[in-house]
Amino acid sequence: MTTVEGPPLQLDDIQGIVLRTRPSPYVGTYILLRVDDPGAGRELMGRLAGLVDSAANWWQPPLPALLNVAVTYRGLEVLQVPQASLNSFPEEFRQGMAARAEFLGDTGESAPAHWEPPFGTGQVHIVLSLIAADQESLAVVLERARQARTQLPGVQVVYRQDLYQLASGRTSFGYKDGISNPAVQGSGAAYPPGGGPTLKAGEFVLGYPDETGNLPPMPQPAALGRNGTFVVWRKLHTRVAAFRRYLRDNAKSPEEESLLAAKIVGRWPSGAPLILAPESDDPDLGADEQRNNNFDYASDPRGTVCPHGAHARRANPRDSEIIGDVDLHRLIRRSTSYGPPLPAGTLDDDGADRGIVFIAVNAHLDRQFEFVKSQWFNDGNFTGLDVEKDLLTGDNDGSGIFTIPQHPVRRRLHGVERFVTTRGGEYFFLPSLSALHWMAGLGS
Ligand code: HEM
């Protein structure tokens, strides 16, 4: 582990989810709230300010539970944040995720018209994220959150999504997830080796210089913006049976099927990266934090080991030759699994809702999350893949293509369908702890 230095961050003012990894295994829940009475909403913010976990001391053994809170643009309006302040938020956040659907590839089945209510309707104002190491600890934070809302009839629960880590420790598609995250300067945290350079804090926390050397545009006043950030929240349903059938139909043997699955992601199910384990899965490597992210793509310019179109290589091309600066498009991921696993070997859909709640933390929604989603996942041009989209998460319509470079002739898979459907999502502003107090004091 290497401790990452840099200008110190105000860790006790930054919400824990930004810099703190979640426990493993984990259980948790997201509670979405609508504020009908601005005064009640502000009162809730004040009460939560005392309960929310900060990023201070996060390098200590993980806390049993973590409570965090974030607000949509509509939520800020309802809380009566002054107009001048509202105007200082970035355009994409003000529009909200549903308005960005075409651009993000939320089309067809994933279009906002098909989202679960109340996503995309302006009725989601606040999200509470509760993540714990076990049910007992979760019950403790749930009770705290419930207490915070007592006698506030002007704040209604409009949606709840429970989550838990599958017994396999993997996502519903069968892969280990959440391995690679950027190291943040000044966090004082210890990061495993690899995964690219440590990044300036301003990529993930407002009020500090970012990779361009400038301060990111920050919502005003500073009491509201500083030490805050933006969170992408997306409920992504995974079509596991369809994905398994696709693998089976495009492989001649179980070995070929598992190699194809690895080529699609860039890692084997255990998490072992293809670059370090080109032939077969290596569970020891997958489980070894010191090695499983310690690689780049310099040795594989043609993608014959890890295709340029592999999900993880698209999401973070590391040192691959691409146009632009990779470090300007990094994301901190805090995604969690929901729903039951599809039993091993089952190739028919059982109708259950399963997938991940994708969570990304970034200071610039446009050049980080939106860029990765629209350019690197849903557009192939940056690596010469032309019309190809990410096979795993792209908005493919049944005529998608996936290229696997190999000797003597590359392999091209056709008929790629949509394996991930967006069931709803919102952009949130994740305020600092002191900004929660600031919001609470707005009415007075
Ligand atoms: C159901 C949807 C998704 C699944 C199942 C999934 C799965 C995975 C897996 C298995 C990995 C490799 C393990 C790791 O490095 O953590 C990965 C990496 C990654 N994914 Fe996803 N992912 C999904 C959606 C997304 C979305 C929507 C984005 C962003 C727009 C994204 C961004 C990333 C990033 C940035 C990495 C790390 C790449 C690296 O640094 O090497 N993923 N994902």
Side-chain angles (χ1 to χ4, degrees):
M1 293 278 182
T2 319
T3 301
V4 175
E5 305 299 343
L9 304 180
Q10 275 177 279
L11 295 176
D12 57 358
D13 197 36
I14 298 169
Q15 291 201 47
I17 194 170
V18 180
L19 297 169
R20 197 186 279 170
T21 50
R22 53 170 154 65
S24 177
Y26 59 82
V27 289
T29 191
Y30 298 104
I31 301 172
L32 287 99
L33 304 170
R34 187 187 67 225
V35 176
D36 297 325
D37 166 11
R42 293 194 294 262
E43 171 67 22
L44 177 72
M45 287 308 191
R47 293 183 192 175
L48 287 170
L51 299 175
V52 162
D53 293 293
S54 81
N57 299 327
W58 74 278
W59 54 90
Q60 307 285 338
L63 294 181
L66 193 61
L67 170 65
N68 290 118
V69 55
V71 194
T72 57
Y73 180 72
R74 183 71 195 120
L76 294 172
E77 282 184 326
V78 172
L79 292 173
Q80 296 177 337
V81 167
Q83 193 59 45
S85 202
L86 293 172
N87 293 346
S88 67
F89 279 83
E91 181 63 19
E92 61 280 4
F93 173 69
R94 298 176 59 191
Q95 288 182 0
M97 191 181 285
R100 313 284 290 171
E102 285 282 329
F103 178 58
L104 294 174
D106 285 333
T107 56
E109 282 174 81
S110 292
H114 301 294
W115 286 3
E116 292 174 32
F119 293 106
T121 62
Q123 302 284 305
V124 176
H125 300 156
I126 295 173
V127 62
L128 301 182
S129 158
L130 287 71
I131 311 262
D134 50 53
Q135 289 291 353
E136 237 184 313
S137 317
L138 180 61
V140 175
V141 262
L142 253 175
E143 180 52 23
R144 281 188 207 151
R146 205 187 60 75
Q147 288 285 345
R149 213 174 61 81
T150 47
Q151 295 180 336
L152 293 180
V155 179
Q156 291 298 320
V157 176
V158 285
Y159 189 89
R160 193 168 152 178
Q161 180 64 58
D162 290 340
L163 51 113
Y164 65 103
Q165 188 171 47
L166 300 180
S168 61
R170 300 179 182 176
T171 60
S172 50
F173 280 137
Y175 304 90
K176 184 170 169 181
D177 192 11
I179 301 169
S180 176
N181 263 322
V184 183
Q185 290 177 17
S187 64
Y191 292 93
T198 64
L199 299 185
K200 296 218 166 54
E203 291 299 311
F204 307 105
V205 189
L206 298 165
Y208 303 88
D210 63 20
E211 284 294 310
T212 66
N214 300 312
L215 287 170
M218 187 172 79
Q220 295 299 315
L224 174 63
R226 193 175 158 74
N227 290 326
T229 189
F230 294 97
V231 167
V232 177
W233 194 107
R234 284 164 77 74
K235 180 173 174 182
L236 300 178
H237 170 79
T238 48
R239 299 180 58 226
V240 179
F243 182 67
R244 286 182 187 167
R245 286 197 301 272
Y246 190 82
L247 292 177
R248 186 204 52 189
D249 293 349
N250 286 282
K252 294 195 194 81
S253 64
E255 292 72 33
E256 204 180 298
E257 195 174 316
S258 65
L259 181 60
L260 174 58
K263 295 272 185 190
I264 286 170
V265 164
R267 289 187 185 261
W268 297 90
S270 75
L274 259 178
I275 290 290
L276 301 180
E279 305 292 336
S280 57
D281 200 351
D282 180 345
D284 289 341
L285 171 61
D288 185 348
E289 271 200 351
Q290 296 305 308
R291 295 189 292 144
N292 67 12
N293 204 30
N294 200 3
F295 69 93
D296 56 34
Y297 298 109
S299 59
D300 185 34
R302 294 182 178 279
T304 48
V305 178
C306 178
H308 291 105
H311 174 79
R313 190 164 182 170
R314 280 178 179 266
N316 177 12
R318 303 190 184 210
D319 57 347
S320 304
E321 273 179 31
I322 59 156
I323 305 160
D325 186 345
V326 172
D327 298 337
L328 297 180
H329 311 294
R330 301 292 308 279
L331 298 167
I332 292 179
R333 287 171 304 139
R334 298 286 184 238
S335 308
T336 42
S337 288
Y338 75 88
L342 186 68
T346 306
L347 294 175
D348 293 319
D349 191 15
D350 61 357
D353 188 13
R354 59 175 61 84
I356 65 170
V357 174
F358 173 82
I359 307 271
V361 176
N362 50 188
H364 313 77
L365 285 167
D366 55 351
R367 79 158 156 78
Q368 290 172 283
F369 168 70
E370 291 199 338
F371 183 92
V372 173
K373 188 74 178 70
S374 63
Q375 303 300 305
W376 285 355
F377 281 180
N378 284 344
D379 193 321
N381 278 333
F382 81 101
T383 52
L385 289 171
D386 196 17
V387 293
E388 285 186 39
K389 301 175 179 192
D390 183 30
L391 186 146
L392 198 66
T393 69
D395 60 328
N396 289 297
D397 58 1
S399 59
I401 301 168
F402 181 62
T403 302
I404 305 177
Q406 59 185 24
H407 295 299
V409 187
R410 73 179 175 202
R411 185 167 178 219
R412 266 209 156 156
L413 271 57
H414 294 270
V416 178
E417 48 192 287
R418 190 191 293 265
F419 298 116
V420 170
T421 312
T422 310
R423 292 256 160 119
E426 300 284 350
Y427 285 152
F428 290 96
F429 174 61
L430 187 94
S432 67
L433 272 64
S434 52
L436 290 172
H437 285 295
W438 183 87
M439 287 188 222
L442 277 173
S444 47

